[in-house]
Amino acid sequence: MTTVTASIGYPDRTTVYWLIATSTLVLAPLAPHVPLALWGVIAGLFVWRYAIMARAGRAPGRLLRLGLVALVLVLVYQHYRTLIGRDAGIALLTGLLALKFLELKNPRDAMLCVFLLYFLMLGSFLYSQSIGLALYLLIAALAATAALARIALPGSALDGRQALRLAGGLLLKALPFMLILYLLFPRIQGSLWGLPHDAYSGLTGMSDEMTPGSINQLSQSDEVAFRVSFQGPPPAVKDSYWRVLVMWDSDGRGWSRGPPAFWPVLSYQSHDAPLAYEISFEPSNKPWLPALDLPGSVPDGLRMRPGYVLERNQPVRERLRYQLVSYPHYHTGDIEPAERQRALRLPPTASPRARELALGWRAQTRDGAAIVATALAHFRTQEFFYSLEPPLLGADPVDEFLFDTRRGFCEHYASAFVTLMRAAGIPSRVVIGYQGGEFNAAGDYLIVRQLDAHAWAEVWLAGRGWVRVDPTGAVAPERIEYGAEALRRLASRGQRFGELPPEALSLALGRGWFEGLYRHGRLGLDVVNNTWNRWVLDYTKERQETLLRNLGFEGATRTTLASALGVLLAGALALLALWMWRTDRATDPARAAYERFCRKLARAGLARVAHEGPLDFAQRCGRARPDLKPAIDAVTRSYVGLRYADLKEREHLRTLRRLVAHFSVKRGLA
Amino acid sequence: MSPDAITLGRRQVYILPTRNGLMFTLVLTALLLAAVNYNNGLAYLLTFLLAGVAVVSILYANRNLLRLRVAAAACPPVFAGETAYFGITLTNDHADTRLGVVIECRKHEVARVDIPARASVTVMLPVPSRARGYLDCPPFTVCTYFPLGLFRAWSRRIALAHRCLVYPRPARAEVVPPQSGSASGDRPGPAPGGDDFAGLRPFRLGDPPQHVSWKAAARGQGLHTKQFSGSGQDSVWLEWQAFAPLDGEARLSRLTRAVLDAERAGLRYGLRLPAQEFAPDSGAVHRRRCLEALALFAG
């Protein structure tokens, strides 16, 4: 009973146009994910469909259709070696959609095509959840819904523009329901059937080895590493050291984390107020996580390793949010014997010249702090330069750097410094992580990018514990004061680091108006992205629980939540229904007033019959009740004037309403 | 008695999902499972957006019928055996077009129309007529699959006070005997059979000029008047009693044929039934009154 036109004429030209156009919209983002051979088949089927419509070709018979289904199955299986899962499933659906096109016998077939298109939209989201794709597919959903309306109303006068308007209205009114369901529909942890394994390639993260150039490679990328929102004011750039990994072992060339350290993590003392913040960490496919020096708490699901670094069991493959407190000033106290031993180890034959230099310092004083100061002074006073494009180093990079090239960036300085300290008998280690970041005032959070990656050193001094020493700061204080981005700006202007007086520096660091505008735009966009991440990509079970807690549903049972969801949905439905009925009723006030008048007459036994025009009705009533004739004529004249003559609406409507209100079958016009 | 017009109120409109609607529910379920499995925020959003669209389309379907005025329109009389067309006027006083409004009668779709804003559309509900008398408009429903075909909204059965007058089925021409002496006019009525040219006679004053044979005049044969069988100012009486041996319905059938033929022949004719008599006259009104009397004859 759904259709009248399930006849030879189906499908009509417009339906086919709509379906082809909408399918093209929906399938376009899937283009890179479906094998090329299958695209060939699909394009062929589309052309065939068009030819059938243009009466230049014939619909395939049953046997041929089965053959085509087999062809699609074979193509998909050949490419993926399976027919299930995300990739194969989407390719299969795409092929079946194109096949269904050849077999549009009635509106139900066409509807099925649209339903498949909805499915494929979801398929696109499995590959990307960007704002751009979401907006694009919203337009596709609009087109698909308009196509559905056209299919459901065959033979109607609905043209393309009206169909789109109708679909737009439907989608717009569906938004409240979508939001309520999205926020409150119970989420579950994990997936139902498991996820494909190929989903996590191409994530950037910090490696647990530091070879010359490894950090420089990271610092080429302005990808966001993580974002931080502070509860209070953010710390200064020069104090923002985000530790990720501690490197214990050197092979003479590079540094590595080495085998897991197993001594207990020692507690430390601090008299600061804790600094509380939340980190939203971008997936890195690595298990380690940043924390501001020095973390004072361990979030759920993470643990703290020796060296005060955070780690979790599995690599981070989805954006991870965690809350932390840190203490900027600290006192770590004693050192474990195993720790001390490991923090002094050097490969026996490496870096002979560096050892010699360090032993010379040690001969002068046994005070660790003094040796550290001497080493920093050495970097500052000798001809050391900070360079983002250092010369390549050979077999013994520390010696070559310290005595020959003297050009390098953070990892060269950190590596050389720790080598010197260990040679001088001071327990020390390399720490890698991020330093600085860009504060986004528009969103009140700090953005730390891969290019903020940094390496520094920590030395253990008796009576003070582990102390952070950043040798890079001795050479290029701008790096520490202003961050990596400022350094890049200086470099791009051909300035050398560590040489400009403060006034010239701030001038050199100033942005032109265009650069400023660009930066504002970029930060604004990041706020949008961050909000999107927060509410779309990271809206997980925990976030939902937090939201519910904030809404006052702390510890609510599932039943309570389900009924709250039901009540909200019903409320939204009722409001929408009321609003729609109201606007309907309000459409014709003149008619409403006239109908009130008719009801009054009907009570006096003068009912207006279905096809009696207002004038005929007035005449009949006038004959039946000559006493009311003047009043009836007045109302009728006013109404007819409003309806059919070109009168100024508002004042005449007021007149009509007054006349109707005063009309009485007992008294005539009062 | 049922009214001749109703306006569909909230309690008179029902709504249920169609087969396509049920299929859409399945689609939504599958989308939800995919969203849950991949824990994909946008997939959730799409699923819930489409669920919202389905819910909103219930309101749209409901509104497409709500406050729709359904009224009986004209229904011209027919002869028994012909199809009666009941006019049904659908009036939309909303500011939006009502799209895809369907009239269904006895489970069959009769008409599918769009009703523009603040306008009326009259559709015809065809019903075969069998017997003479009044034929009532069968109850019908107004329904719609607007906007997406996922739901069907329908009105309760509408029985309008709407009837069609069905005249007796006219007898076939050859079975109607000439007015066998029953005419009480100046002379026996001529055989019916239309405006057959019967011959020429000399022109007499008073003959209508359109009957003058101008061709003959042009040939110099003088003025002649064309004579038609059945023409003239004769008046005949069509009498119930004239068909005495036949039963009632057969008589009515023949009388109906006689009325039609007499009217066509331009005669003045009177009709005499057992309890009613219509004085000789002619014209549409007279014809209608005679046929109505025959249709409603209760003897």
Side-chain angles (χ1 to χ4, degrees):
Chain A
M1 292 302 293
T2 23
T3 62
V4 252
T5 40
S7 56
I8 324 109
Y10 205 82
D12 57 302
R13 209 163 260 262
T14 346
T15 305
V16 176
Y17 283 145
W18 271 95
L19 281 178
I20 290 188
T22 314
S23 309
T24 314
L25 265 179
V26 173
L27 294 182
L30 286 171
H33 308 295
V34 171
L36 201 63
L38 191 58
W39 277 131
V41 173
I42 289 166
L45 292 176
F46 273 36
V47 171
W48 193 349
R49 172 73 253 175
Y50 188 83
I52 294 172
M53 195 186 65
R55 305 203 188 291
R58 285 175 46 192
R62 195 186 162 81
L63 210 63
L64 188 52
R65 278 207 310 268
L66 281 177
L68 285 168
V69 172
L71 176 68
V72 167
L73 286 174
V74 166
L75 278 177
V76 171
Y77 187 79
Q78 216 179 18
H79 195 266
Y80 297 106
R81 298 281 148 204
T82 175
L83 290 177
I84 52 168
R86 180 189 67 175
D87 296 346
I90 284 171
L92 206 58
L93 280 182
T94 313
L96 293 182
L97 169 77
L99 278 171
K100 192 73 201 163
F101 264 35
L102 291 188
E103 196 198 8
L104 294 176
K105 289 195 303 289
N106 52 45
R108 176 158 301 142
D109 289 332
M111 279 197 175
L112 200 68
C113 286
V114 178
F115 292 169
L116 273 173
L117 286 176
Y118 285 140
F119 241 104
L120 287 168
M121 287 181 209
L122 186 138
S124 279
F125 291 144
L126 299 185
Y127 292 107
S128 160
Q129 297 199 68
S130 70
I131 302 179
L133 183 70
L135 290 178
Y136 174 83
L137 284 182
L138 188 63
I139 292 171
L142 181 75
T145 310
L148 199 58
R150 283 219 51 119
I151 293 163
L153 303 170
S156 141
L158 192 70
D159 66 23
R161 215 170 47 93
Q162 288 167 326
L164 284 172
R165 246 190 63 189
L166 174 64
L170 280 166
L171 289 178
L172 215 62
K173 294 188 181 89
L175 284 180
F177 297 94
M178 179 189 80
L179 284 179
I180 293 171
L181 280 166
Y182 183 77
L183 292 177
L184 297 183
F185 186 85
R187 298 299 180 89
I188 63 163
Q189 192 87 59
S191 61
L192 297 177
W193 296 288
L195 296 175
H197 294 289
D198 53 351
Y200 307 110
S201 48
L203 299 178
T204 26
M206 205 154 250
S207 161
D208 59 347
E209 282 186 5
M210 186 179 82
T211 51
S214 63
I215 285 188
N216 199 22
Q217 204 182 357
L218 267 187
S219 60
Q220 300 302 319
S221 157
D222 66 353
E223 251 176 73
V224 173
F226 55 95
R227 297 182 176 86
V228 194
S229 13
F230 293 94
Q231 264 179 21
V237 172
K238 68 176 170 53
D239 296 327
S240 303
Y241 281 84
W242 303 93
R243 61 200 293 119
V244 175
L245 278 168
V246 167
M247 305 280 184
W248 296 98
D249 297 344
S250 167
D251 60 358
R253 272 187 59 78
W255 289 79
S256 69
R257 195 162 64 120
F262 46 80
W263 53 88
V265 179
L266 293 175
S267 60
Y268 62 90
Q269 294 174 345
S270 173
H271 301 295
D272 291 339
L275 195 66
Y277 53 97
E278 186 191 61
I279 291 185
S280 156
F281 185 72
E282 295 292 313
S284 62
N285 207 19
K286 300 281 191 302
W288 34 87
L289 293 158
L292 189 66
D293 270 357
L294 265 186
S297 63
V298 184
D300 284 345
L302 307 184
R303 60 203 147 86
M304 195 179 282
R305 303 296 309 266
Y308 308 100
V309 285
L310 293 178
E311 201 178 285
R312 70 171 208 176
N313 285 328
Q314 322 84 34
V316 182
R317 287 171 168 172
E318 273 154 20
R319 196 171 295 100
L320 184 70
R321 282 173 190 278
Y322 53 95
Q323 276 139 19
L324 267 181
V325 292
S326 285
Y327 298 91
H329 303 102
Y330 46 87
H331 198 291
T332 64
D334 281 342
I335 188 166
E336 287 277 315
E339 190 179 8
R340 180 185 183 89
Q341 197 190 351
R342 194 149 172 204
L344 284 171
R345 206 158 60 194
L346 273 179
T349 56
S351 325
R353 286 189 280 173
R355 280 164 196 272
E356 201 186 308
L357 178 64
L359 286 171
W361 294 339
R362 180 155 178 91
Q364 286 166 23
T365 171
R366 298 195 61 90
D367 176 22
I371 296 176
V372 168
T374 312
L376 290 179
H378 179 78
F379 284 133
R380 214 167 12 241
T381 52
Q382 306 288 312
E383 291 276 292
F384 280 96
F385 297 107
Y386 187 91
S387 164
L388 290 169
E389 283 134 7
L392 283 175
L393 297 173
D396 199 336
V398 173
D399 272 6
E400 284 171 46
F401 167 69
L402 274 176
F403 298 98
D404 306 332
T405 66
R406 295 191 167 183
R407 272 163 181 73
F409 46 91
C410 58
E411 63 192 67
H412 298 92
Y413 287 96
S415 169
F417 182 79
V418 173
T419 306
L420 288 169
M421 289 303 110
R422 288 190 177 184
I426 301 172
S428 53
R429 59 195 183 191
V430 174
V431 183
I432 63 170
Y434 300 88
Q435 195 263 328
E438 186 175 16
F439 193 73
N440 191 344
D444 199 23
Y445 59 89
L446 185 79
I447 308 171
V448 179
R449 299 174 193 278
Q450 297 297 355
L451 57 81
D452 293 312
H454 191 51
W456 61 95
E458 278 179 345
V459 293
W460 188 86
L461 301 176
R464 291 180 59 188
W466 286 103
V467 175
R468 182 177 66 223
V469 180
D470 190 349
T472 311
V475 189
E478 302 91 341
R479 168 69 183 85
I480 312 305
E481 294 277 344
Y482 300 103
E485 201 253 330
L487 215 60
R488 232 151 253 282
R489 228 145 5 111
L490 283 181
S492 72
R493 288 171 191 173
Q495 305 281 0
R496 313 240 337 224
F497 308 118
E499 293 181 344
L500 286 175
E503 313 85 66
L505 185 68
S506 69
L507 198 67
L509 279 174
R511 294 183 173 86
W513 66 270
F514 184 74
E515 214 180 351
L517 201 67
Y518 172 76
R519 179 169 177 273
H520 271 292
R522 207 174 63 141
L523 288 180
L525 205 62
D526 197 82
V527 172
V528 175
N529 265 319
N530 192 35
T531 315
W532 181 255
N533 292 344
R534 215 181 162 77
W535 288 105
V536 177
L537 307 189
D538 307 344
Y539 190 69
T540 54
K541 187 172 187 292
E542 298 97 65
R543 294 263 306 138
Q544 188 176 42
E545 278 163 3
T546 316
L547 178 83
L548 288 174
R549 236 191 341 268
N550 294 343
L551 288 177
F553 283 103
E554 173 112 50
T557 61
R558 277 190 173 256
T559 335
T560 325
L561 283 180
S563 28
L565 184 60
V567 166
L568 269 174
L569 287 175
L573 188 65
L575 279 178
L576 187 59
L578 275 179
W579 180 65
M580 280 168 67
W581 286 331
R582 255 184 76 87
T583 49
D584 287 346
R585 194 162 312 133
T587 46
D588 196 351
R591 197 191 167 100
Y594 183 69
E595 275 173 2
R596 275 202 301 282
F597 163 74
C598 289
R599 277 196 294 276
K600 285 185 175 180
L601 278 171
R603 279 198 292 275
L606 288 166
R608 182 171 162 231
V609 292
H611 281 276
E612 208 166 12
L615 290 172
D616 294 339
F617 179 55
Q619 215 171 17
R620 184 164 67 86
C621 292
R623 276 198 302 272
R625 292 285 301 267
D627 56 319
L628 295 179
K629 192 171 174 9
I632 292 171
D633 284 348
V635 172
T636 307
R637 252 197 320 276
S638 167
Y639 174 63
V640 171
L642 259 171
R643 264 322 60 186
Y644 305 107
D646 189 21
L647 292 180
K648 281 252 182 299
E649 278 262 348
R650 191 169 296 166
E651 56 206 71
H652 285 86
L653 186 62
R654 207 173 298 139
T655 315
L656 173 64
R657 281 179 169 159
R658 203 191 56 235
L659 284 171
V660 171
H662 290 200
F663 178 80
S664 152
V665 284
K666 293 200 188 79
R667 294 174 283 136
L669 197 59
Chain B
M1 193 183 134
S2 29
D4 63 349
I6 67 158
T7 302
L8 297 178
R10 245 169 260 177
R11 277 152 208 247
Q12 287 139 6
V13 177
Y14 312 110
I15 193 155
L16 271 182
T18 58
R19 251 177 72 180
N20 292 324
L22 294 177
M23 196 156 78
F24 191 67
T25 319
L26 280 180
V27 170
L28 284 179
T29 313
L31 288 174
L32 184 64
L33 286 178
V36 170
N37 190 47
Y38 287 94
N39 200 7
N40 186 300
L42 280 179
Y44 273 115
L45 276 174
L46 177 68
T47 309
F48 295 145
L49 179 68
L50 293 178
V53 166
V55 171
V56 173
S57 83
I58 298 177
L59 294 181
Y60 270 60
N62 180 271
R63 185 173 72 153
N64 209 32
L65 296 188
L66 208 62
R67 294 174 59 78
L68 179 69
R69 193 176 150 82
V70 183
C75 178
V78 294
F79 293 97
E82 291 178 349
T83 302
Y85 288 94
F86 288 94
I88 296 166
T89 300
L90 304 168
T91 307
N92 172 17
D93 59 2
H94 283 183
D96 298 315
T97 306
R98 297 184 195 243
L99 292 163
V101 175
V102 179
I103 302 276
E104 273 181 15
C105 183
R106 299 191 182 108
K107 304 260 175 210
H108 285 287
E109 181 169 318
V110 175
R112 178 178 282 242
V113 288
D114 297 337
I115 314 168
R118 301 216 178 111
S120 298
V121 169
T122 300
V123 298
M124 291 297 171
L125 172 58
V127 178
S129 67
R130 292 204 177 78
R132 69 185 174 87
Y134 279 117
L135 174 65
D136 279 321
C137 179
F140 57 91
T141 58
V142 182
C143 70
T144 187
Y145 298 95
F146 179 82
L148 300 178
L150 305 178
F151 290 89
R152 173 178 185 265
W154 75 96
S155 70
R156 62 163 171 75
R157 273 152 53 98
I158 299 173
L160 291 180
H162 194 14
R163 54 190 192 172
C164 179
L165 185 60
V166 181
Y167 300 146
R169 182 199 301 264
R172 273 174 296 149
E174 59 265 32
V175 303
V176 180
Q179 267 61 33
S180 47
S182 58
S184 61
D186 305 339
R187 54 189 188 122
D195 302 334
D196 297 330
F197 181 59
L200 291 172
R201 63 167 170 76
F203 177 77
R204 288 196 296 248
L205 272 172
D207 283 340
Q210 65 265 35
H211 286 183
V212 170
S213 169
W214 298 110
K215 259 186 206 160
R219 283 197 295 267
Q221 292 169 341
L223 287 178
H224 287 81
T225 301
K226 286 186 273 188
Q227 265 202 314
F228 298 90
S229 58
S231 68
Q233 296 300 311
D234 317 302
S235 71
V236 293
W237 276 98
L238 312 173
E239 298 201 51
W240 171 259
Q241 291 304 332
F243 301 98
L246 299 168
D247 69 13
E249 292 305 317
R251 289 190 206 191
L252 290 171
S253 174
R254 281 162 175 75
L255 281 170
T256 303
R257 165 57 61 191
V259 167
L260 294 179
D261 290 345
E263 178 68 33
R264 171 123 34 101
L267 296 175
R268 289 167 53 80
Y269 56 95
L271 177 64
R272 195 170 287 140
L273 295 173
Q276 274 176 300
E277 192 176 299
F278 296 92
D281 198 350
S282 64
V285 174
H286 180 61
R287 173 181 181 271
R288 200 195 69 218
R289 281 169 58 205
C290 292
L291 289 174
E292 195 176 310
L294 291 168
L296 302 176
F297 178 76

